[in-house]
C-alpha cells in the first residue's frame, strides 16, 4: 500500500465521524492543529485531519525539503523550460550573501534594478520626472496575467498606504478596458508602464499601441511618458522606450511570481519604495520560515497538506478563498493564476500521465459579500467546498471599529456554521416555535437543515500591512510549490495557455470576413452570425 492508499483507507475508516467530535476527543485540538508564522496564525483544526492523517500526509511531503532547497539554490527546477524558479531572490534580504546561478552571482543585478526602481519611483512621486503637463497624477500599467494580477491585487490591498499618483490597470484586449480606464485621465500627466516579460503578448502590445495613440494626440513625445518592465530589452527598444526607463528581469522569474521585482513598480509608485521594502520583507520572512520550520509546524507545508487532503483524498473538486478584507478583492483572481496556472497539469514532471487529479479549481470573493451570493451552496449544496477564510484582527479605520467587529464576527460565524450545521431535530424545534405542525412542519424543517461537518481553514493576521501582504503572498506561492512537489508536477511552466493563443491568431482574419480553411462548423457559424450582427449594429 502506498501512502495515498493508506490515506484513502483512513478516510473511509473515519466516514461519519464529525469534525466536532475531534474537538471533544482532543481538548487542545485548536492549539495542536494550527500553525504560526510571520505574526499570523493559520487554524486548520476545523478539518477532519487527525494524528494518523497528518502523519501520512507528512510522509507524502518527505521529498519537499530537497526540492525546496533546490529551488532556493537556483537549480533548474522548471525542467520543461530548463530554468530556475528564483522569484525568492527578488525579496532576499540585503545582507544575504551571493547567490550563484550557473556560476554567476545574480544578486548584484537584482539589487541594482531595485535601486533603479527606487530612484525612478522617488523622482516620479516627487515630480522630478514629470509629464508634458507637470507632475504625474496618474499611472497606467498595461499588462496581463502575471504582469497585471500581482500589482493590481497589491495596489488595491495596500490602499491605506497610498501617497503617490493614482494607479490604474489595463489588461483585457477588449477595447472597453482601455477606453474606460483612459476616460477622465489627462494624457499630459499620465505615466504609462508597459509590463510584459516577453513583450510579445498580443493583448498587451495591442493596448500599448492604443494608449500611445491616445497620448500622441496631445503629447508631442509620448515615448517620454512611457516606461517598460520586461525581459526582452531588444523589443522595448523597438517600441521606442528609453532604455533608462526599462526595468528588466531574468527569465527565471515566472510571470505569476513576478510582483516582487520590476513588475511591482506600480505598487512602489503608489506606496513608495520604503513600504515596498516592507512588502519584500514580509515575503522574505515567509521564505525563512518555510526553509527553517519543521514540516509539521511549517505554514506553507500544512496549508498544502490540507489542500492535498481535500482535493486528492476527499476529492472535493474546488476550494474557495474567502478574504474578510474588502481590499483583498483581487486576491482570489491572483490566486487563481498562481494555483491553477501552476498546478493545473495533466502530466507529471517526467511526461507520464498524472495518476491522480491535478491541482484544484480555486475561486472566491471577499466576505461578507459572498455570504449573500454563493454561500447558500457552500452550506447546503451537495458538493463540499473547503473554505479558506482570512481576516485581520484590526482594520485601518479605527473610527469604524464597529464595522470591523461585525466583519470578524461574520467570518468566525461562517466557519463555525460550516462545521456545526443544524440538525433536523433543531430545525423541527425552530419550526414548532413558529407554530407549524404536521406535514408542513416537516417539509419546512428539511429546508432548514445544514449538514455541517464542512471543513475550513482560517488565517488571521494583525493588520493588512505591506509586510503581512508579502507574507500572505509568499505563503500561497510556497503552498502551491509543496502541492506541486507532492503531485510530481512542474509548477513553473504553463504550456496550457499556448494553444488558444495560436488559434486566436489564425481566427482573427476570419472575423474580418476573410475566407478560412480548415475551420469546424460551429466556429464558422459563430463567426458568420457575428459578422451579420456586426453589420446590423454598425448599420
Ligand atoms: O498567458 C499566460 C502568460 O504567459 C502568463 O504566464 C503571464 O503571466 C502572462 O501570460 C503575461 O505574459 P507577459 O508578461 O510575457 O506579457
Amino acid at each position: 500500500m502506498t501512502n495515498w492508499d493508506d490515506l484513502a483507507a483512513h478516510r473511509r475508516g473515519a466516514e461519519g465521524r464529525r469534525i466536532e467530535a475531534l474537538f471533544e476527543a482532543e481538548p487542545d485540538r485548536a492549539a495542536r492543529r494550527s500553525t504560526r508564522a510571520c505574526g499570523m496564525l493559520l487554524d486548520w483544526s476545523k478539518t477532519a485531519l487527525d494524528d494518523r492523517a497528518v502523519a501520512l500526509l507528512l510522509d507524502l511531503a518527505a521529498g519537499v525539503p530537497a526540492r525546496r532547497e533546490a529551488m532556493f539554490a537556483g537549480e533548474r527546477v522548471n525542467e520543461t523550460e530548463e530554468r530556475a524558479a528564483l522569484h525568492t531572490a527578488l525579496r532576499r534580504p540585503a545582507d544575504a550573501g551571493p547567490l550563484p546561478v550557473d556560476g554567476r552571482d545574480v544578486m548584484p543585478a537584482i539589487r541594482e534594478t531595485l535601486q533603479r526602481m527606487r530612484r525612478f519611483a522617488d523622482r516620479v512621486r516627487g515630480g522630478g520626472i514629470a509629464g508634458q503637463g507637470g507632475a504625474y497624477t496618474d499611472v497606467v500599467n498595461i499588462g496581463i496575467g502575471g504582469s497585471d494580477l500581482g500589482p493590481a491585487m497589491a495596489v488595491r490591498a495596500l490602499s491605506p498606504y497610498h501617497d503617490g499618483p493614482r494607479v490604474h490597470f489595463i489588461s483585457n484586449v477588449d477595447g472597453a478596458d482601455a477606453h474606460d480606464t483612459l476616460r477622465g485621465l489627462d494624457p499630459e500627466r499620465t505615466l504609462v508602464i508597459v509590463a510584459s516579460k516577453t513583450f510579445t503578448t498580443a493583448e498587451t502590445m495591442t493596448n500599448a499601441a492604443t494608449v500611445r495613440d491616445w497620448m500622441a494626440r496631445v503629447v508631442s513625445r509620448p515615448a517620454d511618458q512611457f516606461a517598460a518592465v520586461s525581459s526582452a530589452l531588444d523589443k522595448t527598444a523597438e517600441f521606442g522606450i528609453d532604455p533608462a526607463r526599462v526595468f528588466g528581469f531574468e527569465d527565471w522569474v515566472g510571470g505569476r511570481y513576478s510582483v516582487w521585482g520590476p513588475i511591482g513598480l506600480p505598487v512602489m509608485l503608489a506606496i513608495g519604495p520604503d513600504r515596498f521594502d516592507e512588502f519584500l520583507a514580509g515575503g522574505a520572512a515567509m521564505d525563512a520560515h518555510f526553509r527553517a520550520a519543521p514540516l509539521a509546524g511549517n505554514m506553507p507545508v500544512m496549508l498544502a497538506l490540507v489542500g492535498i487532503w481535500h482535493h486528492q483524498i476527499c476529492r472535493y473538486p474546488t476550494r474557495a478563498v474567502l478574504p474578510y478584507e474588502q481590499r483583498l478583492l483581487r486576491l482570489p483572481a491572483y490566486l487563481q493564476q498562481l494555483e491553477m496556472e501552476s498546478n493545473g497539469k495533466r502530466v507529471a514532471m517526467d511526461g507520464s500521465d498524472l495518476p491522480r487529479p491535478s491541482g484544484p479549481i480555486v475561486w472566491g470573493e471577499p466576505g461578507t459579500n459572498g455570504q449573500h451570493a454563493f454561500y447558500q451552496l457552500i452550506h447546503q449544496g451537495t458538493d463540499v467546498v473547503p473554505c479558506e477564510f482570512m481576516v485581520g484582527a484590526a482594520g485601518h479605520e479605527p473610527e469604524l471599529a464597529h464595522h470591523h467587529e461585525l466583519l470578524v464576527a461574520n467570518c468566525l460565524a461562517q466557519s463555525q456554521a460550516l462545521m456545526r450545521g443544524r440538525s433536523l431535530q433543531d430545525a423541527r424545534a425552530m419550526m414548532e416555535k413558529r407554530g407549524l405542525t404536521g406535514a408542513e412542519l416537516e417539509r419546512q424543517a428539511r429546508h432548514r437543515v445544514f449538514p455541517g461537518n464542512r471543513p475550513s481553514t482560517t488565517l488571521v493576521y494583525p493588520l493588512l500591512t505591506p509586510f503581512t501582504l508579502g507574507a500572505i503572498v509568499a505563503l500561497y506561492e510556497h503552498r502551491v510549490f509543496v502541492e506541486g512537489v507532492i503531485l510530481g508536477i512542474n509548477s513553473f511552466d504553463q504550456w496550457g495557455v499556448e494553444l488558444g493563443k495560436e488559434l486566436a491568431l489564425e481566427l482573427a482574419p476570419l472575423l474580418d470576413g476573410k475566407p478560412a480553411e480548415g475551420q469546424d462548423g460551429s466556429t464558422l457559424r459563430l463567426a458568420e452570425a457575428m459578422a451579420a450582427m456586426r453589420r446590423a449594429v454598425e448599420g
Side-chain angles (χ1 to χ4, degrees):
M1 288 245 283
T2 65
N3 268 32
W4 293 105
D5 297 332
D6 284 341
L7 275 162
H10 179 60
R11 169 142 200 274
R12 280 194 302 277
E15 212 161 323
R17 186 181 67 185
R18 293 187 65 89
I19 299 170
E20 281 176 293
L22 294 173
F23 279 91
E24 281 156 29
E26 245 183 292
D28 57 347
R29 178 170 175 81
R32 289 187 68 211
R33 313 295 178 197
S34 58
T35 311
R36 284 184 184 275
C38 307
M40 308 190 292
L41 171 72
L42 174 71
D43 177 303
W44 44 276
S45 64
K46 291 191 188 93
T47 66
L49 292 180
D50 57 10
D51 278 338
R52 170 117 179 105
V54 171
L56 288 169
L57 286 165
L58 284 169
D59 280 352
L60 281 184
V64 169
R67 290 297 288 177
R68 176 190 65 199
E69 291 316 301
M71 175 178 74
F72 276 97
E75 287 177 31
R76 297 184 178 206
V77 291
N78 177 354
E79 293 182 15
T80 62
E81 294 180 309
E82 294 174 4
R83 297 173 183 160
L86 213 41
H87 44 283
T88 51
L90 299 176
R91 55 193 187 228
R92 233 160 153 250
D95 56 0
L99 181 57
V101 173
D102 296 332
R104 184 177 63 92
D105 180 12
V106 296
M107 290 315 298
I110 289 175
R111 294 202 178 108
E112 132 89 10
T113 303
L114 192 59
Q115 282 312 319
R116 285 185 55 228
M117 284 169 66
R118 281 188 84 96
R119 282 197 295 274
F120 182 70
D122 276 337
R123 292 191 61 209
V124 168
R125 285 160 55 86
I129 295 180
Q132 183 172 292
Y136 287 119
T137 52
D138 295 89
V139 175
V140 172
N141 187 80
I142 304 174
I144 195 164
S147 300
D148 165 72
L149 287 162
M153 178 275 294
V155 162
R156 189 152 199 149
L158 300 176
S159 64
Y161 301 90
H162 284 200
D163 52 6
R166 290 179 293 262
V167 180
H168 315 264
F169 293 86
I170 298 176
S171 54
N172 201 319
V173 77
D174 183 346
D177 201 5
H179 176 270
D180 292 357
T181 307
L182 298 177
R183 190 170 46 195
L185 297 190
D186 176 357
E188 292 188 298
R189 301 189 69 180
T190 297
L191 172 71
V192 180
I193 303 172
V194 185
S196 174
K197 183 174 163 181
T198 55
F199 230 71
T200 56
T201 303
E203 291 93 327
T204 299
M205 299 327 294
T206 305
N207 278 322
T210 297
V211 174
R212 189 173 50 186
D213 290 349
W214 165 79
M215 195 170 269
R217 278 181 229 135
V218 182
V219 173
S220 48
R221 288 154 44 112
D224 288 358
Q225 293 189 201
F226 270 65
V229 177
S230 183
S231 303
L233 305 189
D234 50 334
K235 297 200 173 66
T236 57
E238 235 171 78
F239 192 87
I241 300 178
D242 178 354
R245 295 204 180 158
V246 177
F247 302 90
F249 58 103
E250 304 276 353
D251 66 0
W252 36 253
V253 179
R256 54 195 175 276
Y257 299 90
S258 61
V259 65
W260 311 99
I263 290 289
L265 185 59
V267 187
M268 194 189 262
L269 286 162
I271 65 173
D274 292 344
R275 294 288 190 192
F276 190 76
D277 278 352
E278 293 170 18
F279 171 67
L280 298 186
M286 185 54 76
D287 291 343
H289 165 81
F290 180 46
R291 294 184 81 176
L295 296 187
N298 195 304
M299 196 179 274
V301 172
M302 290 317 301
L303 190 59
L305 295 184
V306 170
I308 292 278
W309 169 257
H310 287 149
H311 188 53
Q312 301 291 331
I313 308 300
C314 306
R315 298 284 166 130
Y316 304 141
T318 79
R319 64 178 167 232
V321 184
L322 306 168
Y324 276 65
E325 180 88 61
Q326 182 59 23
R327 294 190 176 104
L328 289 179
L329 180 68
R330 296 294 285 156
L331 185 71
Y334 173 79
L335 292 180
Q336 281 178 328
Q337 187 196 20
L338 182 63
E339 302 215 14
M340 290 159 73
E341 196 165 90
S342 297
N343 287 347
K345 315 272 166 76
R346 51 177 289 287
V347 295
M349 190 75 94
D350 63 4
S352 61
D353 285 347
L354 215 61
R356 56 193 67 262
S358 63
I361 297 161
V362 179
W363 57 285
E365 177 77 12
T368 59
N369 292 10
Q371 289 176 204
H372 298 271
F374 52 79
Y375 277 41
Q376 165 63 42
L377 182 147
I378 290 182
H379 285 288
Q380 288 189 317
T382 50
D383 276 324
V384 173
V385 180
C387 294
E388 301 189 351
F389 295 99
M390 54 181 82
V391 67
H396 281 283
E397 292 73 31
E399 71 286 7
L400 299 177
H402 59 296
H403 284 248
H404 199 77
E405 277 158 26
L406 266 176
L407 182 76
V408 172
N410 270 278
C411 180
L412 296 178
Q414 290 300 328
S415 64
Q416 193 176 65
L418 284 167
M419 176 173 71
R420 277 193 192 163
R422 182 194 284 142
S423 67
L424 182 57
Q425 206 184 1
D426 286 351
R428 279 192 189 122
M430 249 175 71
M431 291 300 99
E432 245 168 38
K433 268 198 197 145
R434 291 193 195 165
L436 266 59
T437 55
E440 185 55 8
L441 178 148
E442 200 57 30
R443 191 174 72 87
Q444 291 287 357
R446 287 184 61 77
H447 287 277
R448 286 158 173 81
V449 170
F450 289 65
N453 208 28
R454 300 200 161 188
S456 67
T457 58
T458 304
L459 178 72
V460 296
Y461 46 85
L463 180 73
L464 191 63
T465 59
F467 180 92
T468 296
L469 182 70
I472 292 173
V473 173
L475 163 67
Y476 272 88
E477 284 180 354
H478 295 323
R479 180 263 188 103
V480 167
F481 173 75
V482 172
E483 287 196 24
V485 170
I486 291 174
L487 297 175
I489 282 174
N490 178 2
S491 300
F492 299 111
D493 61 11
Q494 57 284 316
W495 299 108
V497 301
E498 297 301 328
L499 181 59
K501 286 186 197 172
E502 287 164 25
L503 295 184
L505 287 180
E506 274 179 35
L507 285 171
L510 174 66
L511 299 175
D512 276 342
K514 307 220 170 72
E517 279 164 24
Q519 299 300 338
D520 63 88
S522 162
T523 306
L524 271 179
R525 191 167 156 73
L526 287 167
E528 281 163 13
M530 281 192 290
M533 288 178 197
R534 188 169 148 186
R535 281 194 297 276
V537 170
E538 290 170 356

